[in-house]
Amino acid sequence: MRLGLRLPQRLNVDLRRDVVEAARTAEAAGYAGVWTYERLLFPRDPVEPYAGTDVPWPEHSRQAADPLAILTAAAVVTDKVRLGTSVLVAALHTPVQLAKALATIDQISGGRMVAGLGAGWSTDELRATGATRAHRGRFLDETLDVLQAVWGRDPVTFRSPRVVIEDAAVLPKPVSKIPVLLAGGGSNLGRSTSPAAVRRIATRADGWLPVLTTTGPAGAARLRSNWDRIREVAEENGRDASSMEMIVVGNVTFTDHPEGPDRPAFVGTFDQIIEDVHTAAEAGADELIVDLNLQDWFSSTSQMLDTAVQIRERYAAQ
């Protein structure tokens, strides 16, 4: 299993220096990918709690620097790591402009772009761009259709409720096919992935971006079961499931003392975090994204990177 690292985008990060330092350090340490996330705004009185939980929005999300700008900076100072989004909320973007931006980063990086997309969950963010929760799935499907059309041969002709392209060149094109991965579907939150999400991932995506939330053999088994079902549906629809990737997200929070057996995944001591890295590998993950943005004291990027290097070295040594 490869390891990927989320780049610093949070509040109190020095974007001018820290993004470049993090991208270079991740590549030198042997990380296979660098990843960004998307938060558009921070409502003072949000419609929903954070990300389907019962907790308030975390303070670090007051700033989440633009994910594509961050990846552009990383592309210029690296040579090998893949550059991924985990995830962009499709409904927050105009599909054609998003297609051009992703293709541009792919050109700048020499073909290293990975597009992770999701439907989104925040009413506050969706309505800020004219979208709604009721239509977020339709916007995601439309975005997937536009990416496929615009990244194909010119001239492009395409029609949907929001997008009309008539016999036009749309450039630049990606260096090669940009992998498109989809998030969502229940992942490992104690329930099976919804049939609609399974079908969308299986028939339309190059892989899945779940979040690991349960520790140990039970967490690995549940995640693997959902992944097996996605690949089974892909094969039923005539696709080669062996070419699909499962890239798991690990949202890390360190504690001073060991957490008990019922702890969430990636919450605990350093040794417990390493156990969870192995759980993701046992579940069949192709890559694990290590996200250290949640930790308040990781607003010091040098401290965050020291820990990221330690995680990479410990995992490589075992």
Side-chain angles (χ1 to χ4, degrees), residues 3-317:
L3 293 186
L5 182 67
R6 277 252 178 92
L7 293 172
Q9 299 169 249
R10 55 164 293 155
L11 193 68
N12 298 324
V13 164
D14 182 346
L15 295 174
R16 183 178 180 184
R17 296 177 176 84
D18 291 0
V19 171
V20 167
E21 179 186 359
R24 285 173 169 162
T25 300
E27 183 166 78
Y31 277 88
V34 292
W35 296 80
T36 57
Y37 64 97
E38 182 162 54
R39 281 271 67 83
L40 183 64
L41 45 76
F42 184 94
R44 296 179 64 182
D45 186 19
V47 175
E48 300 97 358
Y50 192 76
T53 69
D54 58 358
V55 301
W57 287 49
E59 187 66 22
H60 77 264
S61 68
R62 284 184 179 273
Q63 171 180 297
D66 181 79
L68 297 181
I70 295 292
L71 285 183
T72 303
V76 173
V77 299
T78 57
D79 297 311
K80 297 180 293 185
V81 289
R82 297 202 301 177
L83 309 157
T85 59
S86 176
V87 294
L88 298 178
V89 178
L92 305 185
H93 300 267
T94 302
V96 175
Q97 290 174 314
L98 179 59
K100 288 178 70 72
L102 294 170
T104 300
I105 297 173
D106 199 56
Q107 285 284 344
I108 291 171
S109 67
R112 293 183 280 138
M113 186 72 220
V114 181
L117 302 176
W121 54 268
S122 168
T123 297
D124 295 281
E125 291 189 328
L126 292 166
R127 66 188 181 186
T129 57
T132 63
R133 281 181 63 90
H135 297 125
R136 57 192 174 140
R138 176 170 64 81
F139 287 147
L140 175 56
D141 286 331
E142 181 184 51
T143 298
L144 295 173
D145 291 338
V146 170
L147 295 181
Q148 183 177 15
V150 167
W151 290 343
R153 293 181 179 178
D154 286 333
V156 175
T157 296
F158 180 87
R159 286 183 175 271
S160 72
R162 288 192 302 164
V163 179
V164 176
I165 306 172
E166 290 287 357
D167 196 32
V170 185
L171 297 168
K173 304 295 185 188
V175 173
S176 57
K177 186 182 186 300
I178 295 176
V180 176
L181 282 69
L182 294 179
S187 63
N188 193 35
L189 300 175
R191 59 186 186 272
S192 296
T193 307
S194 70
V198 165
R199 182 163 184 82
R200 180 183 280 125
I201 297 164
T203 62
R204 308 220 57 190
D206 299 301
W208 185 34
L209 283 161
V211 177
L212 180 66
T213 61
T214 304
T215 61
R222 187 175 297 122
L223 193 58
R224 181 181 289 277
S225 175
N226 285 334
W227 181 225
D228 286 344
R229 178 56 183 156
I230 289 169
R231 290 184 293 178
E232 178 184 347
V233 175
E235 293 282 359
E236 290 171 355
N237 284 269
R239 303 190 69 201
D240 178 11
S242 66
S243 65
M244 299 176 71
E245 295 182 278
M246 178 170 66
I247 299 180
V248 175
V249 178
N251 296 316
V252 176
T253 299
F254 287 104
T255 59
D256 293 332
H257 303 286
E259 295 291 302
D262 295 330
R263 68 183 178 90
F266 293 103
V267 176
T269 62
F270 187 89
D271 287 341
Q272 288 178 315
I273 300 303
I274 296 299
E275 291 175 7
D276 296 335
V277 173
H278 287 285
T279 296
E282 291 163 8
D286 296 285
E287 184 170 339
L288 171 71
I289 300 171
V290 178
D291 184 358
L292 301 174
N293 278 275
L294 297 178
Q295 201 85 38
D296 283 342
W297 41 270
F298 281 151
S299 58
S300 166
T301 296
S302 61
Q303 187 175 14
M304 182 270 278
L305 292 176
D306 287 345
T307 303
V309 170
Q310 291 174 32
I311 291 172
R312 174 72 180 90
E313 290 176 345
R314 174 75 74 84
Y315 177 67

